[in-house]
Amino acid sequence: MAIAYQGHILFTKQPDRFEIHENGVVIVDEGKILEVLEALPENREGLEIFNMGDRLIVPGFVDLHFHAPQFPNLGLGLDKELLPWLEDYTFPEEAKYSDMEYAESVFTRVAREIWRQGTTRVVLFSSVHKESTELLMSIFDRAGLGAYVGKVNMDRNCPDFLVENTEASIEATRAWLESTKDKYPRVKPLITPRFVPTCTSELMRALGDLAEAYDVPVQTHISENQAEVEWVKELHPESADYTSVYEDHGLLGDRTVLAHCVFNTEAEIAKMAALGVFAAHCPNANYNLASGIMPVRQFLNAGVKVGLGTDVGAGHKVSIASVMSTAIQASKIAWLNSDRTLAPLTTSEAFYLGTKGGGAYFGKVGSFEPGYEFDALVIDDHRLGVTEGRTLEERLQRFLYIGDDRDIVTRFVSGDEILEPSM
Ligand SMILES: [Zn+2]
């Protein structure tokens, strides 16, 4: 039976403007959008109707970059830069995930917080540990959320307590893909070399082969920090640039998501556009670690697919709404300080990046166009101020800047209402 949800419907088919249907109706069948109407149809036979009243119905948020094991570090050590922060905070925490009991307690809280903040799809880094990565996948499956989850690979330039033997890393990854590739409907594995400095050529090449053999996507980091970019040049003088290192090892394609992209050259940006690579913009993390500001406008102008990432724990907020507002702020500072030809992001553009832009990584996700998955949030914004005299776009804008999980009343993934994950 088809379902009709009545309310104020907002989504971004295109970045430059909101599609707005005041007191509109979204018709959903088998978890997918059939159409959005201005009012209920005359013939309502076979239609179940839910009236959300004076509330906003928007696509669920999509987070393209999140480190589940770093969740306990939220808000810690953010007065450091990337490389010391990794040494002092990230690696010691990630070592703890050989302990399954610890992993279960953290990952359950991660799923709950992601649910709470209105993220309906997320691309997750796990740790190097195969068993806790499988546990993370099962917890997200149980929660009903959509996710790609990656077992991290690293076989150089990291502490003894985390470094993998190259052969063992490849074999563990193969076994993990074998056991999880078709296990869950909404939670899938993806290949996850941490980043070039921690992965040998041999490992990266083998991971590229596994991605192809098992037909799974790839996630990693790129050009987050200037010291890191210099380091990659020293490690791989044979490749033209950082992006080419991934390409040369078979890791770059239209299902690769690269987090950060702060310092890429024009040639790299053109290559990402040509190959259909996704860029995950993580401004909260880039501010915290004093990395820099990704020139998002340049990527959009070049035709690169861009989404948003919280980058927990370098990012201190689990909410993609918070990343949307920081993305706008970051683009304004970049415009002010470095390039007046790169116009700052508008609200509809930031919203697009955090819904349809990142959603494309999951297929038809992040919009309310026909055929899209019904991933949605129902928002009651009355706590945030008077609604009389405010346009629906202003009401959504206000929620993105000053709202939080208290204002999200219902969450859907592929048409299913998702309740709070049990602890
Ligand atoms: Zn990251």
Side-chain angles (χ1 to χ4, degrees):
M1 183 188 269
I3 302 172
Y5 296 99
Q6 277 183 293
H8 304 312
I9 296 161
L10 299 97
F11 60 102
T12 42
K13 188 174 167 187
Q14 294 157 307
D16 62 347
R17 64 168 189 276
F18 283 102
E19 308 293 324
I20 299 173
H21 302 264
E22 186 169 359
N23 293 311
V25 178
V26 53
I27 311 280
V28 178
D29 192 26
E30 309 226 327
K32 291 188 168 62
I33 315 262
L34 281 183
E35 55 187 335
V36 176
L37 303 170
E38 296 310 314
L40 283 170
E42 299 264 301
N43 179 5
R44 297 170 198 175
E45 212 182 290
L47 198 60
E48 197 177 354
I49 298 164
F50 290 94
N51 188 349
M52 303 299 184
D54 186 34
R55 291 173 174 153
L56 314 178
I57 305 176
V58 300
F61 296 140
V62 180
D63 188 343
L64 286 187
H65 191 66
F66 189 118
H67 295 262
Q70 293 176 23
F71 184 72
N73 279 353
L74 269 193
L76 299 178
L78 296 177
D79 49 0
K80 294 177 184 290
E81 284 195 53
L82 175 65
L83 301 177
W85 173 79
L86 282 172
E87 290 294 327
D88 296 350
Y89 283 92
T90 306
F91 290 149
E93 179 60 32
E94 288 195 9
K96 297 179 186 170
Y97 293 81
S98 54
D99 177 344
M100 294 291 278
E101 227 168 276
Y102 183 74
E104 176 148 24
S105 81
V106 173
F107 292 160
T108 308
R109 283 190 289 140
V110 169
R112 187 167 172 225
E113 196 55 28
I114 284 178
W115 170 88
R116 201 204 291 276
Q117 299 299 338
T119 295
T120 48
R121 308 264 173 173
V122 58
V123 184
L124 293 166
F125 271 61
S126 181
S127 60
V128 293
H129 309 95
K130 172 176 170 288
E131 286 73 23
S132 56
T133 303
E134 291 180 348
L135 177 68
L136 177 59
M137 295 176 80
S138 73
I139 288 170
F140 270 74
D141 171 65
R142 232 174 18 241
L145 297 163
Y148 281 109
V149 177
K151 178 215 156 324
V152 170
N153 300 89
M154 45 185 180
D155 66 342
R156 67 172 171 183
N157 295 322
C158 55
D160 291 347
F161 54 82
L162 276 177
V163 71
E164 296 177 294
N165 164 279
T166 308
E167 255 326 290
S169 176
I170 296 164
E171 281 320 305
T173 305
R174 189 194 310 278
W176 162 68
L177 290 173
E178 208 50 71
S179 71
T180 59
K181 185 175 183 298
D182 301 311
K183 196 167 181 182
Y184 306 114
R186 287 182 197 148
V187 181
K188 302 287 180 190
L190 85 171
I191 290 290
T192 305
R194 178 171 217 113
F195 67 154
V196 168
T198 61
C199 301
T200 61
S201 268
E202 187 189 350
L203 179 59
M204 285 193 282
R205 199 160 291 119
L207 293 175
D209 291 345
L210 284 175
E212 197 185 338
Y214 286 87
D215 192 25
V216 291
V218 175
Q219 67 174 341
T220 188
H221 299 94
I222 196 165
S223 303
E224 176 175 2
N225 169 289
Q226 279 167 317
E228 167 212 354
V229 173
E230 289 308 311
W231 193 11
V232 170
K233 262 186 211 157
E234 285 164 29
L235 290 167
H236 292 278
E238 75 284 1
S239 291
D241 48 43
Y242 202 157
T243 305
S244 302
V245 180
Y246 290 128
E247 186 185 29
D248 295 344
H249 293 89
L251 289 163
L252 207 64
D254 62 1
R255 297 173 76 202
T256 302
V257 58
L258 299 176
H260 301 305
C261 302
V262 177
F263 298 105
N264 296 108
T265 62
E266 269 182 40
E268 289 182 281
I269 296 170
K271 178 168 287 176
M272 289 180 202
L275 294 179
V277 169
F278 283 78
H281 179 32
C282 309
N284 277 343
N286 300 150
Y287 273 2
N288 286 334
L289 299 179
S291 298
I293 297 175
M294 173 184 168
V296 183
R297 178 68 63 198
Q298 207 183 334
F299 280 73
L300 295 176
N301 288 347
V304 179
K305 295 182 278 187
V306 181
L308 298 179
T310 55
D311 194 17
V312 165
H316 58 295
K317 297 267 194 185
V318 175
S319 159
I320 280 291
S322 133
V323 179
M324 289 176 186
S325 56
T326 315
I328 295 170
Q329 291 168 345
S331 69
K332 287 178 158 177
I333 301 297
W335 168 82
L336 190 66
N337 282 349
S338 54
D339 191 340
R340 294 289 176 114
T341 67
L342 299 177
L345 294 176
T346 63
T347 306
S348 69
E349 286 176 321
F351 189 82
Y352 177 94
L353 298 181
T355 54
K356 190 178 176 182
Y361 197 68
F362 291 85
K364 287 194 163 184
V365 166
S367 181
F368 288 160
E369 295 156 66
Y372 271 68
E373 304 286 330
F374 186 61
D375 286 17
L377 306 176
V378 179
I379 295 167
D380 185 338
D381 62 331
H382 291 85
R383 186 182 69 88
L384 305 175
V386 291
T387 55
E388 289 77 26
R390 292 287 162 223
T391 66
L392 292 173
E393 185 172 340
E394 285 174 329
R395 286 173 59 180
L396 178 56
Q397 186 176 46
R398 182 165 58 186
F399 165 74
L400 297 176
Y401 273 84
I402 65 167
D404 59 40
D405 57 288
R406 290 172 289 177
D407 312 307
I408 305 175
V409 290
T410 314
R411 299 137 175 96
F412 296 92
V413 176
S414 295
D416 297 331
E417 184 177 345
I418 306 296
L419 302 175
E420 181 167 354
S422 54
M423 296 296 280

